[in-house]
Amino acid sequence: MNTMLSINNLHASVQGKAILNGIDLQVNPGEVHAIMGPNGSGKSTLANVLAGRDSYEVTRGEVLYNGENLLDWSVEQRACEGIFLAFQYPVEIPGVSNIYLMKAAVNARRKYRGMPEMPAVEFLKLIREKIKVVDMKEEFLHRSVNEGFSGGEKKRNEILQMAVIEPTLAILDETDSGLDIDALKIVADGVNSLRSEDRAFIVVTHYQRLLDYIVPDFVHVLAGGRIVKSGGKDLALELEKAGYGWIEIAPVAEAADA
Amino acid sequence: MTTAVEHYVAARNALVLPGTGLDWLDELRNAGTRRFSEKGFPTLRDENWRYTNIRPILKQNFTPVAVLEGSAGRTEGLSQHLLPGLGAYRFVFVDGHYVQELSDATGPARGVVAMPMADAVTRGLDGVKTWLGACVPEDRGGFTDLNTAYIEDGLYLHVDRGCHLEQPIEVVFISTEPGGQLIQPRNLFVLGENTRAHIIERYISPAGRSHLTNAVTELVACRSSVVEHTRLQEEGMDAFHIGGVFIRLHGDARVVSNNAALGSMIARTNLHVALQEEGACCHLYGVYLGNGRQHLDNFTQVDHRAPKCTSNEFYKGVLDDRARAVFHGRIIVREGAQKTDAQQQNRNLLLSGHAEVDTKPQLEIYADDVKCSHGATIGQLDDSAMFYLRSRGVDETTARGLLTYAFAADVINKISSAPVRNHLEGELGRKMFGVGRPEELS
Ligand SMILES: Nc1ncnc2c1ncn2[C@@H]1O[C@H](COP(=O)(O)OP(=O)(O)OP(=O)(O)O)[C@@H](O)[C@H]1O
Ligand SMILES: [Mg+2]
């Protein structure tokens, strides 16, 4: 089996400030990796670097995606190659409707693969089917992207987009934060319904609770810009009980530079 | 060497204009010539022209064009540039002169007079005598005087009280080869009591030659009329365009003015709205889209002369490359104009670090019981929104286009005519991004 995502000694900084200090992570098709860790440890930074946000500068290391240099690709190329980021803070885009964005997303990927645009009827069918999974009203399709959505609605909308786009590697950045228990199940169902042998997920979360519904194959602890501990799903339970205090966090930047 | 002013006065005196010899008309034109000779063109020292240097316009002596003989040559192929699907009564002027073959003036409703100004002045119609020049304010400026000196052609429209026009009236001004023309349309629209109408004024120059359009439109909205006036300035990138729009609202009249500026090297519109009687209400929407080295200047003046009038002004600009724009929003609330409600918003989106905008609100309030607000913003495309769209696979150019459409859309959407809205969105895409209009954003 070929590794889907291979992150090796990844360093990244923002405005000259080092945030990721040597991340190593291997993700194979079919796997679900959970990433936990204290606030400010670099989880969102990692997610954004993978998606290609250019305000983060990669200073060292490499990321291979199906053997190719992910970091050489534009944001949209990564998306077309199957990478999807569910944002911790989804962005409001007044004037662009939700359904238009999803249609543009679906057709961008098809174009990338040399396929014709999806016929309108087929697209509508797809979207009606997917919107049921996330239990959203159809009116949300015609509203501007995330504009005036509640916190929970925004998160569901991320999952709706994911379900429609059907990515190969989905990175969920705290999609469970701020969700009530029903919404949490809906989000988990959204993920589980997409789980398959050729897809992988990186799920960033603070709560063990989500992992009751999305059972991960691996749990990693990110602290000080590095993965300081990895384990199976039981690690999340330990973290829930004991916090992060017991994990020894190596001094970062210097150690990594050595 | 003759000065520019001398050139334009001499060129005027060499013309035989329609209706010459009619006292009222001679007087009107001569007063224009006189004032123009005295005051000349505006300079950067004029408070209202501080940001727009017209010297490039004065470097060249533009010359008036004689009436076309038949449709010979010059009108050929022009119909392809007209907007399809408008369903309008259409009046087309080529290089300043009415061309019947391109127009479709068949059967405007009863109670409507619509004819070329050249005919209207020659016949000395009452409406023309009463209103021509009446809406032009004291501080008109040299270009308006120059236009008045040359009054020749344009559209005269008179709608009798109570008439509702279902279809828009479209007035198109096309400039053609060989360039160097002075084109001075003069329009007068008189909307009687309780009328309803939408008038679309469009300026294009498909040949892309350098010329000077110096247009003046006067619009009288009588008591309780409901009028929409849409002005599309889409001349070629080598054109110079000066446009005066003078609107006067009587009691309870309601006017929506849509003003789109896309074309011309240097363009300036002077929009003056006088809220003359109690209860009048105007909505002024504007969008200006500049790229290359364009200079687009929007001067607007709303004059609250009576109590209980409302004005709501909303202008948006998108500027790329080294384009420059000016928004000058003057609001005057006269003594006694109590219960005035005046709002003004100007928002600008800069797509390039070299684009510039000067935005200047100017409020002069001489009444105490008024509600006035104004605001201006200048910003760039939102990085997070760009990243969000691109992370869904939308390429960078399309993402910029989408966000720019979304920015301009709320002003464009105020235009009631769908074909005009679609046309503008398409032009926005073509002009700013080299792509067409994305179907349905919403
Ligand atoms: N644009 C930025 N400018 C300055 N500092 C930044 C910027 N983006 C991130 N940081 C800093 O980088 C560090 C890591 O941030 P990041 O968002 O990756 O943390 P996180 O692990 O996702 O935290 P949380 O659990 O609170 O979401 C933080 O200290 C944050 O303040
Ligand atoms: Mg985070």
Side-chain angles (χ1 to χ4, degrees):
Chain A
M1 181 172 54
N2 290 322
T3 306
M4 179 187 287
L5 185 73
S6 176
I7 304 176
N8 303 310
N9 194 30
L10 182 68
H11 289 63
S13 60
V14 57
Q15 290 169 345
K17 178 183 162 201
I19 296 176
L20 300 184
N21 298 297
I23 302 265
D24 290 295
L25 181 67
Q26 313 298 319
V27 178
N28 293 311
E31 293 176 352
V32 174
H33 292 245
I35 295 184
M36 306 183 81
N39 292 130
S41 58
K43 302 180 297 295
S44 294
T45 302
L46 175 62
N48 278 277
V49 166
L50 293 177
R53 178 139 209 183
D54 63 6
S55 47
Y56 300 93
E57 191 195 353
V58 173
T59 51
R60 258 172 94 176
E62 62 165 12
V63 180
L64 300 178
Y65 178 69
N66 294 326
E68 294 195 66
N69 248 321
L70 181 73
L71 301 178
D72 290 345
W73 294 346
S74 68
V75 179
E76 52 269 32
Q77 189 178 357
R78 297 178 200 205
C80 291
E81 288 278 357
I83 292 179
F84 178 88
L85 171 62
F87 284 56
Q88 181 173 4
Y89 304 108
V91 182
E92 298 194 7
I93 310 185
V96 177
S97 78
N98 219 4
I99 191 161
Y100 182 85
L101 173 59
M102 283 186 271
K103 201 165 162 192
V106 166
N107 285 328
R109 267 190 93 181
R110 288 171 69 103
K111 188 176 167 194
Y112 187 78
R113 297 181 190 150
M115 291 163 70
E117 289 199 350
M118 185 180 279
V121 181
E122 196 181 322
F123 177 75
L124 274 179
K125 211 179 124 217
L126 172 75
I127 208 124
R128 292 229 166 88
E129 174 194 318
K130 301 292 187 180
I131 199 167
K132 276 196 214 110
V133 178
V134 293
D135 195 24
M136 275 167 80
K137 291 213 181 76
E138 279 204 23
E139 62 162 274
F140 282 93
L141 295 176
H142 301 284
R143 281 171 59 177
S144 289
V145 176
N146 294 323
E147 192 185 28
F149 287 25
S150 76
E153 286 163 354
K154 284 181 182 167
K155 296 299 176 83
R156 281 190 209 201
N157 197 33
E158 295 292 283
I159 296 302
L160 172 62
Q161 292 180 37
M162 181 185 78
V164 169
I165 292 172
E166 303 190 329
T168 311
L169 172 63
I171 304 158
L172 279 62
D173 191 359
E174 295 199 25
T175 306
D176 55 329
S177 294
L179 291 186
D180 61 42
I181 194 75
D182 293 337
L184 188 73
K185 281 185 197 150
I186 285 163
V187 165
D189 285 348
V191 172
N192 290 330
S193 68
L194 276 187
R195 274 182 91 154
S196 77
E197 272 177 11
D198 40 18
R199 287 208 179 91
F201 293 84
I202 296 175
V203 181
V204 174
T205 180
H206 285 290
Y207 307 105
Q208 145 66 24
R209 202 180 52 175
L210 177 70
L211 305 180
D212 287 339
Y213 299 104
I214 305 172
V215 182
D217 301 295
F218 302 94
V219 175
H220 310 275
V221 179
L222 205 160
R226 299 172 67 197
I227 289 179
V228 294
K229 193 165 181 67
S230 297
K233 62 177 193 289
D234 297 340
L235 178 56
L237 286 168
E238 287 173 58
L239 292 170
E240 181 93 342
K241 268 191 231 124
Y244 297 112
W246 60 278
I247 297 172
E248 200 180 316
I249 298 172
V252 278
E254 293 75 14
D257 281 345
Chain B
M1 207 188 92
T2 54
T3 64
V5 172
E6 285 163 356
H7 161 76
Y8 288 109
V9 172
R12 152 74 182 83
N13 291 333
L15 287 176
V16 182
L17 297 169
T20 296
L22 296 171
D23 286 348
W24 67 274
L25 186 57
D26 286 349
E27 225 165 84
L28 184 63
R29 284 175 179 151
N30 292 341
T33 313
R34 226 173 17 250
R35 268 191 317 263
F36 174 68
S37 317
E38 280 163 24
K39 301 216 170 133
F41 288 105
T43 70
L44 291 175
R45 284 190 300 279
D46 290 296
E47 185 53 29
N48 293 347
W49 288 82
R50 266 181 58 193
Y51 301 106
T52 297
N53 187 352
I54 60 157
R55 278 178 56 192
I57 304 179
L58 303 186
K59 272 194 200 148
Q60 211 177 324
N61 285 336
F62 296 95
T63 49
V65 187
V67 178
L68 306 183
E69 291 301 330
S71 62
R74 253 194 287 178
T75 62
E76 219 164 275
L78 291 182
S79 58
Q80 62 174 318
H81 302 289
L82 301 172
L83 292 184
L86 262 188
Y89 306 120
R90 175 176 275 160
F91 298 84
V92 180
F93 296 79
V94 175
D95 292 327
H97 303 284
Y98 180 63
V99 176
Q100 196 170 3
E101 303 90 273
L102 292 171
S103 303
D104 180 7
T106 44
R110 253 201 298 176
V112 178
V113 175
M115 67 169 77
M117 184 62 79
D119 293 346
V121 291
T122 314
R123 293 195 206 177
L125 297 185
D126 279 347
V128 180
K129 281 190 186 169
T130 310
W131 291 111
L132 197 58
C135 297
V136 173
E138 250 337 284
D139 50 354
R140 49 177 68 83
F143 282 104
T144 304
D145 289 330
L146 178 62
N147 180 287
T148 300
Y150 277 75
I151 291 176
E152 184 171 7
D153 217 349
L155 183 69
Y156 170 60
L157 172 72
H158 188 285
V159 183
D160 282 353
R161 63 187 295 170
C163 277
H164 291 194
L165 297 189
E166 305 296 334
Q167 291 168 266
I169 301 257
E170 187 197 13
V171 197
V172 189
F173 296 93
I174 310 178
S175 68
T176 63
E177 308 279 5
Q181 314 95 301
L182 170 67
I183 300 165
Q184 301 209 76
R186 180 74 175 221
N187 303 305
L188 173 61
F189 308 139
V190 181
L191 290 309
E193 279 181 31
N194 278 308
T195 52
R196 272 167 195 271
H198 183 188
I199 303 157
I200 299 165
E201 226 176 288
R202 184 162 173 250
Y203 296 84
I204 55 174
S205 52
R209 300 306 173 118
S210 172
H211 68 273
L212 171 60
T213 297
N214 178 35
V216 169
T217 294
E218 296 178 86
L219 192 158
V220 185
C222 295
R223 172 165 290 283
S224 301
S225 56
V226 177
V227 186
E228 182 175 353
H229 178 247
T230 299
R231 191 179 201 279
L232 310 171
Q233 190 276 105
E234 305 176 60
E235 301 217 69
M237 296 296 261
D238 290 312
F240 298 111
H241 184 102
I242 311 286
V245 178
F246 305 105
I247 302 177
R248 175 187 170 114
L249 287 84
H250 291 239
D252 297 319
R254 187 190 148 89
V255 170
V256 175
S257 154
N258 306 300
N259 183 8
L262 283 76
S264 300
M265 184 76 250
I266 298 178
R268 155 90 171 207
T269 48
N270 301 304
L271 172 63
H272 291 242
V273 180
L275 299 154
Q276 198 70 28
E277 292 174 357
E278 211 169 297
C281 163
C282 68
H283 292 265
L284 313 177
Y285 301 113
V287 60
Y288 42 98
L289 308 172
N291 63 359
R293 290 180 167 270
Q294 279 187 292
H295 181 104
L296 305 175
D297 182 348
N298 303 273
F299 178 89
T300 67
Q301 176 169 314
V302 182
D303 191 349
H304 282 263
R305 296 181 179 168
K308 295 188 189 153
C309 292
T310 307
S311 66
N312 169 25
E313 182 171 16
F314 191 27
Y315 268 63
K316 280 191 159 185
V318 181
L319 301 162
D320 202 353
D321 306 327
R322 294 181 172 273
R324 215 179 140 189
V326 182
F327 173 81
H328 186 157
R330 188 173 177 206
I331 298 175
I332 307 165
V333 182
R334 307 269 171 185
E335 217 180 301
Q338 303 296 13
K339 307 275 184 216
T340 285
D341 184 346
Q343 317 283 332
Q344 179 188 98
Q345 283 291 323
N346 173 228
R347 297 194 194 287
N348 297 280
L349 173 62
L350 303 186
L351 296 177
S352 134
H354 298 290
E356 260 183 73
V357 61
D358 290 292
T359 171
K360 184 183 168 195
Q362 185 185 348
L363 275 61
E364 295 158 43
I365 300 171
Y366 305 102
D368 48 22
D369 184 11
V370 300
K371 220 169 78 187
C372 276
S373 77
H374 66 94
T377 59
I378 301 172
Q380 280 105 41
L381 284 180
D382 178 9
D383 279 346
S384 325
M386 277 296 291
F387 177 60
Y388 191 82
L389 292 175
R390 294 176 67 196
S391 78
R392 298 321 186 222
V394 179
D395 67 79
E396 191 172 359
T397 311
T398 308
R400 284 166 66 91
L402 270 179
L403 294 179
T404 306
Y405 272 111
F407 175 82
D410 52 356
V411 176
I412 293 176
N413 284 339
K414 304 293 185 195
I415 300 172
S416 69
S417 158
V420 173
R421 287 197 306 268
N422 295 346
H423 168 71
L424 272 183
E425 287 182 355
E427 284 307 302
L428 190 160
R430 254 187 296 287
K431 182 177 163 84
M432 310 304 280
F433 306 100
V435 297
R437 154 181 194 266
E439 23 79 79
E440 288 318 299
L441 297 187
S442 44

